[in-house]
Amino acid sequence: FGFRTYYEHISVPLIITPVSRPPSTKGIHDSMSVGASILDELALDSHESFKGIPIFAPGRSMIVTENCGRGNADIKRRDIYFTVTSVTHKAMFQLHGTSLQAKRLYSLEHDPRELNNIIKDPANQNVIADMESYLLKERGVLLTQRALTRVEDPSK
């Protein structure tokens, strides 16, 4: 599978809400927001590891999705592919061994079909750095378990 992040993994197409609780229009919500919204509406607590945010609350500035490819999810030994999506960009990173590498960057505003990888354009280094920082913050526990030692410069 590698770098496969489909639109429907990130965008929530439809959630029916009570009239008295309109959804937030701030931030980004992902597919985990469906479950989080149901739990919230039923006043049920979720496990502390659950990262879903109900659509009634402001969403995140970015969404992180990951996969280890086909087969089992052997996060200790297999490469892990991360996609970090904001309103304006989508960045793809690969954790290979203990090295995190930025591999792809797309402008969702200018290239919504993600046809032009702009990762080597020096003008985008701040965007990559911001998305990388968000990934490190959101998946820090996982990356620490893998003994992340270095982040490789995508311009090389």
Side-chain angles (χ1 to χ4, degrees), residues 13-70:
L14 172 71
I15 293 182
I16 298 171
T17 66
V19 174
S20 62
R21 293 188 75 192
S24 173
T25 58
K26 296 180 180 174
I28 302 173
H29 290 87
D30 62 2
S31 58
M32 288 189 291
S33 293
V34 175
S37 299
I38 292 169
L39 290 172
D40 187 73
E41 187 58 26
L42 296 173
L44 297 173
D45 292 330
S46 63
H47 189 271
E48 64 186 36
S49 66
F50 181 59
K51 295 187 179 291
I53 295 177
I55 63 163
F56 311 114
R60 302 181 194 286
S61 61
M62 297 182 206
I63 298 294
V64 177
T65 56
E66 66 273 319
N67 77 71
C68 289
R70 291 183 181 218

Side-chain angles (χ1 to χ4, degrees), residues 63-132:
I63 298 294
V64 177
T65 56
E66 66 273 319
N67 77 71
C68 289
R70 291 183 181 218
N72 63 30
D74 185 357
I75 62 172
K76 291 185 179 181
R77 291 182 286 275
R78 295 187 71 167
D79 287 357
I80 302 177
Y81 300 90
F82 297 95
T83 301
V84 182
T85 306
S86 72
V87 172
T88 60
H89 290 86
K90 181 185 280 186
M92 297 177 173
F93 298 85
Q94 179 182 11
L95 179 61
H96 179 73
T98 60
S99 177
L100 184 66
Q101 305 157 354
K103 295 288 193 176
R104 298 180 188 170
L105 179 68
Y106 300 100
S107 169
L108 299 178
E109 295 175 317
H110 300 105
D111 182 21
R113 296 190 64 194
E114 302 168 21
L115 301 175
N116 186 23
N117 183 1
I118 56 174
I119 195 129
K120 294 194 183 223
D121 182 344
N124 295 314
Q125 294 310 303
N126 287 340
V127 172
I128 296 165
D130 289 346
M131 296 182 106
E132 179 184 281

